[in-house]
Amino acid sequence: MKIPYYPGCTLNTVAKGFDLSARESARTLGFELCELEQWSCCGASFPLTPDNIIGLTSPAKVLTAAAKVDSVVTTLCSVCYNVLKRTAETLSEDRERQKVVAEFIEEEYNPSIEVLHFVEILRDKIGFEKVKESVKRPLGGIKAAAYYGCMLLRPFKTMGIDKPEAPTVMEDLFSALGLEPVDFPKKIECCGAHLAMTREDVVAKLSGDVIESATECGAEIVVTSCPLCQYNLEEAQKRAMEERRDWKTVPIVYFTQLLGYALGQSEEEAGLDKNKWDVRALFKEKGVGLCQG
Amino acid sequence: MKIKIENRALHSEELKHLERITGEDPAKCYQCGNCSAGCPLSYIMDYPPSQMIRLLQLGRIDEAKSAESVWLCVSCMQCYARCPKDVSAGTLFEGLRQLTLREGEDYKKIKELDMPFLKGAPQQALVCGFRKFVS
Ligand code: SF4
Ligand code: SF4
Protein backbone atom coordinates (compact mmCIF):
# COMPACT_ATOMS: atom_id res chain seq x y z
CA MET A 1 0.00 0.00 0.00
CA LYS A 2 1.28 3.45 -0.98
CA ILE A 3 -0.08 6.56 0.69
CA PRO A 4 0.63 10.10 -0.52
CA TYR A 5 2.45 11.95 2.19
CA TYR A 6 2.80 15.66 2.90
CA PRO A 7 5.77 16.30 5.23
CA GLY A 8 5.43 20.09 5.58
CA CYS A 9 8.26 22.56 6.21
CA THR A 10 9.17 21.75 9.77
CA LEU A 11 9.47 18.00 9.27
CA ASN A 12 11.72 18.68 6.35
CA THR A 13 14.15 20.57 8.58
CA VAL A 14 14.18 20.79 12.38
CA ALA A 15 11.86 17.84 13.02
CA LYS A 16 13.63 15.39 10.73
CA GLY A 17 13.52 12.68 13.41
CA PHE A 18 9.73 12.86 13.39
CA ASP A 19 9.68 12.39 9.61
CA LEU A 20 12.31 9.66 9.25
CA SER A 21 11.03 7.51 12.11
CA ALA A 22 7.54 7.57 10.57
CA ARG A 23 8.72 6.65 7.07
CA GLU A 24 10.73 3.72 8.37
CA SER A 25 7.91 2.58 10.67
CA ALA A 26 5.52 2.59 7.73
CA ARG A 27 7.89 0.32 5.78
CA THR A 28 8.07 -2.11 8.69
CA LEU A 29 4.28 -2.15 8.89
CA GLY A 30 3.95 -2.88 5.18
CA PHE A 31 3.10 0.44 3.58
CA GLU A 32 4.96 3.31 2.03
CA LEU A 33 4.69 7.03 2.67
CA CYS A 34 5.14 8.53 -0.80
CA GLU A 35 6.17 12.15 -0.49
CA LEU A 36 4.24 14.40 -2.88
CA GLU A 37 6.44 15.31 -5.82
CA GLN A 38 5.79 18.99 -5.41
CA TRP A 39 4.53 20.70 -2.34
CA SER A 40 4.57 24.07 -0.63
CA CYS A 41 4.06 25.28 2.93
CA CYS A 42 0.45 24.83 4.14
CA GLY A 43 0.45 28.32 5.65
CA ALA A 44 0.73 27.03 9.22
CA SER A 45 -2.59 28.53 10.25
CA PHE A 46 -6.04 28.04 8.85
CA PRO A 47 -7.54 31.38 7.73
CA LEU A 48 -10.43 31.80 10.14
CA THR A 49 -12.09 34.65 8.30
CA PRO A 50 -14.02 33.02 5.45
CA ASP A 51 -13.33 35.87 3.04
CA ASN A 52 -9.59 35.24 3.24
CA ILE A 53 -9.26 33.18 0.08
CA ILE A 54 -5.54 33.85 -0.22
CA GLY A 55 -4.97 31.85 2.96
CA LEU A 56 -6.68 28.87 1.36
CA THR A 57 -4.58 28.82 -1.80
CA SER A 58 -1.46 27.29 -0.36
CA PRO A 59 -3.18 24.29 1.30
CA ALA A 60 -5.49 23.97 -1.72
CA LYS A 61 -2.43 23.60 -3.92
CA VAL A 62 -1.16 20.78 -1.71
CA LEU A 63 -4.56 19.06 -1.80
CA THR A 64 -4.71 19.38 -5.57
CA ALA A 65 -1.26 17.83 -5.92
CA ALA A 66 -2.34 14.93 -3.71
CA ALA A 67 -5.63 14.43 -5.55
CA LYS A 68 -3.66 13.80 -8.74
CA VAL A 69 -2.22 10.60 -7.27
CA ASP A 70 -4.83 9.30 -4.82
CA SER A 71 -8.03 10.00 -2.89
CA VAL A 72 -6.24 10.31 0.46
CA VAL A 73 -3.24 12.21 1.76
CA THR A 74 -1.56 11.81 5.10
CA THR A 75 0.57 14.05 7.25
CA LEU A 76 2.23 13.95 10.67
CA CYS A 77 2.39 17.52 11.95
CA SER A 78 -0.77 18.43 13.87
CA VAL A 79 -0.82 21.92 12.35
CA CYS A 80 -0.45 20.73 8.74
CA TYR A 81 -3.17 18.20 9.43
CA ASN A 82 -5.47 20.87 10.84
CA VAL A 83 -4.90 23.30 7.98
CA LEU A 84 -5.25 20.71 5.21
CA LYS A 85 -8.29 19.04 6.70
CA ARG A 86 -10.12 22.28 7.35
CA THR A 87 -9.31 23.59 3.91
CA ALA A 88 -10.62 20.38 2.32
CA GLU A 89 -13.77 20.65 4.38
CA THR A 90 -14.39 24.31 3.79
CA LEU A 91 -13.98 23.96 0.03
CA SER A 92 -15.74 20.63 -0.37
CA GLU A 93 -19.26 21.94 -0.95
CA ASP A 94 -18.46 25.47 -1.98
CA ARG A 95 -18.33 25.62 -5.78
CA GLU A 96 -17.96 29.40 -5.82
CA ARG A 97 -14.86 29.43 -3.65
CA GLN A 98 -13.43 26.42 -5.46
CA LYS A 99 -13.58 28.50 -8.63
CA VAL A 100 -11.85 31.49 -7.06
CA VAL A 101 -9.15 29.27 -5.54
CA ALA A 102 -8.66 27.59 -8.93
CA GLU A 103 -7.96 30.97 -10.49
CA PHE A 104 -5.31 31.72 -7.92
CA ILE A 105 -3.56 28.36 -8.08
CA GLU A 106 -3.93 28.24 -11.86
CA GLU A 107 -5.35 24.75 -11.96
CA GLU A 108 -8.66 23.14 -11.22
CA TYR A 109 -9.29 22.43 -7.57
CA ASN A 110 -10.19 18.80 -7.01
CA PRO A 111 -12.41 18.46 -3.92
CA SER A 112 -12.33 14.66 -3.73
CA ILE A 113 -9.54 14.23 -1.23
CA GLU A 114 -9.55 12.90 2.29
CA VAL A 115 -6.96 14.11 4.80
CA LEU A 116 -5.85 11.52 7.34
CA HIS A 117 -3.41 11.88 10.16
CA PHE A 118 -0.71 9.21 10.31
CA VAL A 119 -2.14 7.91 13.58
CA GLU A 120 -5.50 7.44 11.84
CA ILE A 121 -3.76 5.33 9.18
CA LEU A 122 -2.24 3.21 11.94
CA ARG A 123 -5.56 2.84 13.74
CA ASP A 124 -7.96 2.43 10.81
CA LYS A 125 -5.95 0.99 7.94
CA ILE A 126 -3.24 -1.03 9.69
CA GLY A 127 -4.78 -1.66 13.12
CA PHE A 128 -3.09 -1.32 16.50
CA GLU A 129 -3.21 -5.13 16.85
CA LYS A 130 -0.88 -5.46 13.88
CA VAL A 131 1.34 -2.72 15.30
CA LYS A 132 1.50 -4.66 18.55
CA GLU A 133 2.43 -7.87 16.75
CA SER A 134 5.25 -6.05 14.95
CA VAL A 135 6.84 -4.68 18.11
CA LYS A 136 10.36 -6.00 18.57
CA ARG A 137 11.31 -3.89 21.52
CA PRO A 138 8.46 -3.35 24.01
CA LEU A 139 8.98 -0.02 25.75
CA GLY A 140 9.27 -1.25 29.32
CA GLY A 141 6.04 0.16 30.75
CA ILE A 142 7.38 3.71 30.71
CA LYS A 143 4.67 6.10 31.84
CA ALA A 144 3.80 8.20 28.81
CA ALA A 145 1.49 11.22 28.66
CA ALA A 146 -0.16 11.86 25.28
CA TYR A 147 -0.26 15.60 24.79
CA TYR A 148 -2.87 16.28 22.08
CA GLY A 149 -2.93 20.07 22.32
CA CYS A 150 -5.36 21.94 20.07
CA MET A 151 -4.83 21.17 16.44
CA LEU A 152 -5.61 17.45 16.31
CA LEU A 153 -8.97 18.04 17.94
CA ARG A 154 -10.45 21.45 17.33
CA PRO A 155 -12.80 22.54 15.94
CA PHE A 156 -14.38 19.24 16.88
CA LYS A 157 -16.90 19.21 14.06
CA THR A 158 -14.20 19.25 11.40
CA MET A 159 -11.21 17.60 13.00
CA GLY A 160 -12.83 14.69 14.81
CA ILE A 161 -9.71 12.53 15.10
CA ASP A 162 -11.19 11.07 18.28
CA LYS A 163 -13.53 11.89 21.19
CA PRO A 164 -13.26 15.67 21.51
CA GLU A 165 -12.80 16.15 25.26
CA ALA A 166 -11.29 12.80 26.15
CA PRO A 167 -9.36 11.38 23.21
CA THR A 168 -7.58 8.04 23.63
CA VAL A 169 -6.18 7.20 20.20
CA MET A 170 -2.59 7.96 21.24
CA GLU A 171 -2.98 6.08 24.51
CA ASP A 172 -4.26 3.04 22.60
CA LEU A 173 -1.17 3.17 20.42
CA PHE A 174 1.04 3.50 23.51
CA SER A 175 -0.44 0.33 24.98
CA ALA A 176 0.42 -1.51 21.76
CA LEU A 177 4.04 -0.33 22.09
CA GLY A 178 4.43 -1.49 25.67
CA LEU A 179 4.17 1.94 27.26
CA GLU A 180 1.89 2.73 30.16
CA PRO A 181 -0.45 5.54 29.14
CA VAL A 182 -0.98 8.26 31.73
CA ASP A 183 -4.12 10.38 31.63
CA PHE A 184 -3.73 14.00 32.73
CA PRO A 185 -6.02 17.05 32.97
CA LYS A 186 -4.21 19.34 30.54
CA LYS A 187 -3.84 16.94 27.63
CA ILE A 188 -6.06 18.99 25.31
CA GLU A 189 -4.92 22.45 26.47
CA CYS A 190 -2.83 24.89 24.44
CA CYS A 191 0.98 25.16 24.72
CA GLY A 192 1.00 28.86 23.80
CA ALA A 193 1.59 28.20 20.09
CA HIS A 194 2.96 31.12 18.04
CA LEU A 195 3.10 33.40 21.08
CA ALA A 196 6.62 31.95 21.21
CA MET A 197 7.33 34.86 18.88
CA THR A 198 6.00 37.61 21.11
CA ARG A 199 5.34 36.35 24.63
CA GLU A 200 7.87 33.84 25.83
CA ASP A 201 6.58 34.35 29.38
CA VAL A 202 3.09 33.22 28.42
CA VAL A 203 4.39 30.17 26.59
CA ALA A 204 6.56 29.30 29.58
CA LYS A 205 3.49 29.35 31.80
CA LEU A 206 1.11 27.43 29.52
CA SER A 207 3.66 24.82 28.48
CA GLY A 208 5.02 24.57 32.01
CA ASP A 209 1.49 23.91 33.30
CA VAL A 210 1.01 21.16 30.73
CA ILE A 211 4.22 19.43 31.80
CA GLU A 212 3.45 19.75 35.49
CA SER A 213 -0.05 18.43 34.97
CA ALA A 214 1.48 15.38 33.24
CA THR A 215 4.23 14.74 35.78
CA GLU A 216 1.84 15.14 38.70
CA CYS A 217 -0.05 12.22 37.20
CA GLY A 218 3.14 10.20 37.06
CA ALA A 219 4.32 10.78 33.48
CA GLU A 220 7.98 10.06 32.73
CA ILE A 221 7.76 11.34 29.16
CA VAL A 222 5.43 13.67 27.28
CA VAL A 223 4.53 12.69 23.74
CA THR A 224 3.42 15.00 20.96
CA SER A 225 2.55 15.14 17.29
CA CYS A 226 3.41 18.81 16.80
CA PRO A 227 6.86 20.37 16.35
CA LEU A 228 5.67 23.67 17.80
CA CYS A 229 4.32 21.95 20.94
CA GLN A 230 7.63 20.13 21.18
CA TYR A 231 9.62 23.34 20.85
CA ASN A 232 7.47 25.20 23.37
CA LEU A 233 7.54 22.38 25.89
CA GLU A 234 11.31 22.12 25.62
CA GLU A 235 11.91 25.88 25.80
CA ALA A 236 9.57 26.19 28.79
CA GLN A 237 11.66 23.63 30.63
CA LYS A 238 14.86 25.55 29.92
CA ARG A 239 13.30 28.55 31.56
CA ALA A 240 11.80 26.55 34.43
CA MET A 241 15.24 25.13 35.20
CA GLU A 242 16.63 28.63 35.55
CA GLU A 243 13.81 29.75 37.79
CA ARG A 244 13.09 26.68 39.87
CA ARG A 245 15.75 24.57 41.47
CA ASP A 246 13.37 21.66 42.00
CA TRP A 247 12.38 21.42 38.32
CA LYS A 248 12.90 17.92 36.95
CA THR A 249 13.14 17.82 33.18
CA VAL A 250 11.01 15.45 31.17
CA PRO A 251 11.83 14.23 27.64
CA ILE A 252 9.39 15.53 25.02
CA VAL A 253 9.24 13.06 22.14
CA TYR A 254 7.27 12.53 18.94
CA PHE A 255 4.96 9.53 18.94
CA THR A 256 6.68 8.14 15.83
CA GLN A 257 10.03 8.08 17.63
CA LEU A 258 8.52 5.71 20.17
CA LEU A 259 6.80 3.74 17.44
CA GLY A 260 10.02 3.44 15.45
CA TYR A 261 12.14 2.43 18.40
CA ALA A 262 9.57 -0.16 19.48
CA LEU A 263 9.52 -1.54 15.93
CA GLY A 264 13.26 -2.09 16.08
CA GLN A 265 14.80 1.08 14.65
CA SER A 266 18.21 2.14 15.91
CA GLU A 267 18.44 5.13 18.23
CA GLU A 268 19.63 7.27 15.30
CA GLU A 269 16.89 6.08 12.95
CA ALA A 270 14.29 6.92 15.57
CA GLY A 271 15.99 10.31 16.06
CA LEU A 272 16.47 9.70 19.78
CA ASP A 273 19.72 11.65 19.66
CA LYS A 274 17.87 14.77 18.54
CA ASN A 275 15.69 15.55 21.56
CA LYS A 276 16.82 18.22 23.96
CA TRP A 277 16.16 15.99 26.96
CA ASP A 278 17.41 12.57 26.18
CA VAL A 279 14.93 9.75 26.54
CA ARG A 280 17.68 7.13 26.14
CA ALA A 281 18.68 7.23 29.80
CA LEU A 282 15.14 6.30 30.73
CA PHE A 283 15.10 3.43 28.23
CA LYS A 284 18.30 2.17 29.77
CA GLU A 285 16.93 2.44 33.27
CA LYS A 286 13.85 0.42 32.27
CA GLY A 287 15.93 -2.19 30.50
CA VAL A 288 14.65 -1.29 27.03
CA GLY A 289 17.38 -2.01 24.54
CA LEU A 290 17.88 -5.24 22.71
CA CYS A 291 15.27 -6.31 20.21
CA GLN A 292 13.29 -9.43 20.92
CA GLY A 293 12.50 -12.17 18.43
CA MET B 1 -23.13 52.20 36.42
CA LYS B 2 -24.48 54.05 33.41
CA ILE B 3 -23.63 52.71 30.01
CA LYS B 4 -24.19 54.88 27.00
CA ILE B 5 -25.12 52.98 23.88
CA GLU B 6 -25.15 54.94 20.68
CA ASN B 7 -27.34 53.86 17.82
CA ARG B 8 -24.69 55.00 15.38
CA ALA B 9 -22.04 52.81 17.01
CA LEU B 10 -24.36 49.81 17.18
CA HIS B 11 -24.83 49.92 13.43
CA SER B 12 -21.41 51.16 12.40
CA GLU B 13 -20.01 50.15 9.06
CA GLU B 14 -16.90 48.71 10.70
CA LEU B 15 -18.97 46.41 12.93
CA LYS B 16 -20.96 45.23 9.93
CA HIS B 17 -17.69 44.67 8.10
CA LEU B 18 -16.36 42.58 10.98
CA GLU B 19 -19.51 40.46 10.94
CA ARG B 20 -19.23 40.07 7.20
CA ILE B 21 -15.60 38.94 7.13
CA THR B 22 -15.99 36.57 10.09
CA GLY B 23 -19.47 35.22 9.37
CA GLU B 24 -20.14 35.59 13.10
CA ASP B 25 -23.03 37.32 14.84
CA PRO B 26 -22.02 38.64 18.27
CA ALA B 27 -25.72 39.17 19.13
CA LYS B 28 -26.16 35.40 19.45
CA CYS B 29 -23.97 35.37 22.57
CA TYR B 30 -25.91 35.36 25.85
CA GLN B 31 -22.87 36.06 28.02
CA CYS B 32 -22.66 32.76 29.87
CA GLY B 33 -18.89 33.13 30.15
CA ASN B 34 -18.03 29.56 29.13
CA CYS B 35 -15.60 30.81 26.50
CA SER B 36 -13.68 32.91 29.01
CA ALA B 37 -13.61 30.05 31.48
CA GLY B 38 -12.08 27.73 28.89
CA CYS B 39 -9.74 30.21 27.22
CA PRO B 40 -6.13 29.49 28.23
CA LEU B 41 -5.19 33.15 27.73
CA SER B 42 -8.01 34.69 29.78
CA TYR B 43 -5.72 35.04 32.75
CA ILE B 44 -3.64 37.62 30.97
CA MET B 45 -6.16 39.29 28.65
CA ASP B 46 -7.48 42.80 29.26
CA TYR B 47 -10.83 41.60 27.88
CA PRO B 48 -11.37 37.84 27.90
CA PRO B 49 -13.48 36.47 25.03
CA SER B 50 -16.96 36.96 26.55
CA GLN B 51 -16.18 40.56 27.50
CA MET B 52 -14.77 41.17 24.06
CA ILE B 53 -18.03 40.00 22.56
CA ARG B 54 -19.92 42.24 24.98
CA LEU B 55 -17.95 45.21 23.69
CA LEU B 56 -19.06 44.31 20.18
CA GLN B 57 -22.68 43.92 21.31
CA LEU B 58 -22.50 47.44 22.73
CA GLY B 59 -21.02 48.80 19.53
CA ARG B 60 -17.66 49.57 21.10
CA ILE B 61 -15.59 48.18 18.26
CA ASP B 62 -12.75 50.70 18.64
CA GLU B 63 -12.13 49.52 22.18
CA ALA B 64 -12.28 45.91 21.02
CA LYS B 65 -9.84 46.54 18.19
CA SER B 66 -7.28 48.19 20.39
CA ALA B 67 -7.42 45.62 23.20
CA GLU B 68 -4.24 43.64 23.81
CA SER B 69 -6.39 40.48 23.95
CA VAL B 70 -6.61 40.57 20.16
CA TRP B 71 -2.91 39.72 19.93
CA LEU B 72 -2.96 37.20 22.75
CA CYS B 73 -5.62 34.91 21.32
CA VAL B 74 -3.87 31.87 19.81
CA SER B 75 -6.83 30.47 17.82
CA CYS B 76 -6.92 27.32 19.92
CA MET B 77 -10.72 27.22 19.55
CA GLN B 78 -11.41 26.12 23.09
CA CYS B 79 -13.93 29.00 23.30
CA TYR B 80 -15.85 27.75 20.29
CA ALA B 81 -15.75 24.17 21.54
CA ARG B 82 -17.41 25.18 24.79
CA CYS B 83 -19.92 27.74 23.50
CA PRO B 84 -23.56 26.65 23.85
CA LYS B 85 -24.63 29.24 21.27
CA ASP B 86 -22.22 28.22 18.51
CA VAL B 87 -20.40 31.55 18.60
CA SER B 88 -16.72 31.47 17.72
CA ALA B 89 -14.93 34.10 19.75
CA GLY B 90 -11.68 32.87 18.21
CA THR B 91 -12.98 33.79 14.75
CA LEU B 92 -14.04 37.25 15.96
CA PHE B 93 -10.54 37.74 17.39
CA GLU B 94 -9.07 36.80 14.01
CA GLY B 95 -11.43 39.29 12.36
CA LEU B 96 -10.29 42.02 14.73
CA ARG B 97 -6.65 41.24 13.93
CA GLN B 98 -7.47 41.34 10.24
CA LEU B 99 -9.11 44.77 10.55
CA THR B 100 -5.80 46.16 11.74
CA LEU B 101 -3.52 44.13 9.47
CA ARG B 102 -5.58 44.89 6.38
CA GLU B 103 -5.01 48.57 7.04
CA GLY B 104 -1.33 47.80 6.53
CA GLU B 105 -0.44 48.09 10.20
CA ASP B 106 1.85 45.47 11.71
CA TYR B 107 1.52 44.32 15.30
CA LYS B 108 5.08 43.12 15.25
CA LYS B 109 7.91 44.21 12.99
CA ILE B 110 10.12 41.41 11.77
CA LYS B 111 13.22 43.40 12.63
CA GLU B 112 12.13 43.52 16.28
CA LEU B 113 12.35 39.75 16.63
CA ASP B 114 15.03 38.04 18.58
CA MET B 115 17.79 36.39 16.54
CA PRO B 116 18.00 33.23 18.67
CA PHE B 117 14.26 32.79 18.23
CA LEU B 118 14.44 33.25 14.47
CA LYS B 119 17.27 30.74 14.24
CA GLY B 120 15.96 28.13 16.66
CA ALA B 121 12.19 28.13 16.24
CA PRO B 122 10.43 25.64 14.01
CA GLN B 123 9.37 27.12 10.66
CA GLN B 124 5.71 26.70 11.48
CA ALA B 125 6.07 29.11 14.43
CA LEU B 126 7.52 31.76 12.14
CA VAL B 127 5.01 31.30 9.35
CA CYS B 128 2.08 31.25 11.76
CA GLY B 129 3.39 34.20 13.78
CA PHE B 130 3.93 36.29 10.66
CA ARG B 131 0.44 35.55 9.46
CA LYS B 132 -1.07 36.56 12.76
CA PHE B 133 1.05 39.64 13.47
CA VAL B 134 2.34 41.09 10.20
CA SER B 135 0.28 42.79 7.49
S1 SF4 C 1 -19.54 30.74 25.51
FE1 SF4 C 1 -20.70 31.56 23.76
S2 SF4 C 1 -22.63 32.33 24.63
FE2 SF4 C 1 -21.22 31.99 26.35
S3 SF4 C 1 -20.25 34.01 26.65
FE3 SF4 C 1 -18.90 32.86 25.27
S4 SF4 C 1 -19.58 33.41 23.20
FE4 SF4 C 1 -21.20 34.03 24.63
S1 SF4 D 1 -9.33 30.81 20.30
FE1 SF4 D 1 -8.53 32.61 21.35
S2 SF4 D 1 -10.25 33.37 22.55
FE2 SF4 D 1 -10.74 31.28 21.98
S3 SF4 D 1 -10.05 30.04 23.71
FE3 SF4 D 1 -8.36 30.10 22.23
S4 SF4 D 1 -7.07 31.81 22.84
FE4 SF4 D 1 -9.05 32.05 23.91
Side-chain angles (χ1 to χ4, degrees):
Chain A
M1 180 169 67
K2 289 184 177 186
I3 300 181
Y5 165 54
Y6 172 71
C9 314
T10 311
L11 272 79
N12 212 27
T13 50
V14 294
K16 209 66 201 150
F18 191 10
D19 169 81
L20 294 176
S21 55
R23 288 181 198 246
E24 188 54 37
S25 299
R27 271 191 283 274
T28 309
L29 294 168
F31 66 104
E32 193 184 338
L33 290 178
C34 296
E35 181 171 336
L36 296 177
E37 262 179 43
Q38 267 199 325
W39 55 265
S40 51
C41 170
C42 70
S45 63
F46 178 75
L48 293 170
T49 43
D51 74 327
N52 183 358
I53 303 267
I54 288 288
L56 294 174
T57 52
S58 188
K61 193 136 184 89
V62 173
L63 295 170
T64 305
K68 283 181 194 151
V69 283
D70 208 328
S71 57
V72 293
V73 61
T74 189
T75 187
L76 286 151
C77 164
S78 305
V79 175
C80 297
Y81 172 64
N82 185 288
V83 175
L84 293 181
K85 193 160 177 188
R86 290 174 80 180
T87 302
E89 198 245 13
T90 210
L91 289 176
S92 69
E93 305 278 315
D94 192 336
R95 285 301 233 344
E96 269 311 302
R97 282 205 292 172
Q98 280 177 25
K99 261 202 249 161
V100 183
V101 163
E103 276 173 29
F104 277 114
I105 64 175
E106 296 182 338
E107 56 185 332
E108 206 175 317
Y109 176 76
N110 185 343
S112 59
I113 184 97
E114 191 185 5
V115 181
L116 293 174
H117 191 268
F118 185 73
V119 80
E120 292 180 290
I121 306 265
L122 295 181
R123 180 188 62 195
D124 304 333
K125 296 201 185 286
I126 306 297
F128 289 156
E129 260 316 300
K130 166 143 192 215
V131 174
K132 190 174 175 183
E133 286 161 17
S134 313
V135 166
K136 293 210 181 81
R137 192 190 272 133
L139 298 179
I142 290 173
K143 296 197 176 77
Y147 175 48
Y148 291 85
C150 313
M151 295 293 152
L152 288 178
L153 301 166
R154 289 188 291 272
F156 297 149
K157 272 183 241 161
T158 315
M159 299 312 295
I161 196 174
D162 198 2
K163 296 174 285 299
E165 292 276 351
T168 55
V169 55
M170 286 290 176
E171 285 87 343
D172 296 343
L173 174 66
F174 293 175
S175 300
L177 304 180
L179 295 159
E180 186 184 323
V182 171
D183 200 17
F184 69 111
K186 290 205 181 281
K187 73 178 182 179
I188 65 165
E189 296 290 329
C190 178
C191 68
H194 58 274
L195 290 187
M197 185 178 264
T198 47
R199 294 295 300 264
E200 203 201 321
D201 57 323
V202 174
V203 172
K205 172 167 166 41
L206 297 187
S207 289
D209 286 353
V210 167
I211 296 169
E212 275 194 302
S213 161
T215 51
E216 276 165 15
C217 293
E220 295 167 294
I221 54 174
V222 176
V223 189
T224 173
S225 172
C226 174
L228 183 49
C229 293
Q230 210 243 11
Y231 174 79
N232 282 343
L233 263 56
E234 287 192 337
E235 290 295 308
Q237 293 198 86
K238 268 207 241 161
R239 196 170 158 135
M241 279 167 70
E242 285 163 16
E243 290 169 4
R244 292 176 43 179
R245 291 168 120 222
D246 62 336
W247 186 271
K248 208 175 150 283
T249 58
V250 188
I252 315 293
V253 296
Y254 295 115
F255 73 99
T256 57
Q257 294 185 289
L258 299 170
L259 171 69
Y261 196 55
L263 292 177
Q265 289 170 24
S266 68
E267 291 177 356
E268 292 71 30
E269 282 170 324
L272 299 184
D273 51 339
K274 294 193 177 66
N275 301 321
K276 204 160 280 165
W277 280 286
D278 210 328
V279 66
R280 288 175 293 185
L282 188 62
F283 284 144
K284 207 165 167 196
E285 187 190 314
K286 302 276 173 172
V288 182
L290 291 179
C291 290
Q292 297 169 1
Chain B
M1 188 177 74
K2 272 193 190 163
I3 299 176
K4 195 168 152 201
I5 302 174
E6 289 181 30
N7 205 22
R8 196 165 36 99
L10 276 182
H11 302 287
S12 77
E13 273 312 310
E14 195 166 33
L15 197 52
K16 275 193 226 147
H17 182 59
L18 177 71
E19 292 176 10
R20 207 164 36 236
I21 66 169
T22 58
E24 291 291 325
D25 178 7
K28 278 188 349 197
C29 160
Y30 58 14
Q31 289 290 302
C32 68
N34 258 356
C35 50
S36 298
C39 172
L41 277 309
S42 272
Y43 83 99
I44 204 168
M45 285 178 166
D46 40 3
Y47 296 99
S50 56
Q51 288 180 21
M52 200 67 156
I53 292 176
R54 192 67 181 146
L55 286 180
L56 298 175
Q57 289 176 338
L58 298 174
R60 287 152 66 176
I61 190 165
D62 286 344
E63 244 170 293
K65 240 176 100 179
S66 56
E68 188 59 20
S69 304
V70 171
W71 309 102
L72 288 167
C73 162
V74 288
S75 309
C76 73
M77 292 298 148
Q78 194 66 279
C79 50
Y80 180 48
R82 307 260 162 99
C83 177
K85 297 290 289 178
D86 210 31
V87 176
S88 172
T91 304
L92 285 163
F93 274 104
E94 174 103 340
L96 289 163
R97 281 190 293 273
Q98 291 281 315
L99 291 184
T100 299
L101 298 176
R102 289 182 193 185
E103 281 163 7
E105 262 180 66
D106 297 336
Y107 172 68
K108 195 84 194 165
K109 297 261 180 259
I110 296 178
K111 62 172 190 274
E112 291 163 14
L113 297 174
D114 229 38
M115 238 331 143
F117 171 76
L118 287 175
K119 285 200 172 140
Q123 282 77 354
Q124 67 188 115
L126 303 176
V127 178
C128 181
F130 290 156
R131 293 189 72 166
K132 298 282 185 191
F133 300 140
V134 181
S135 64

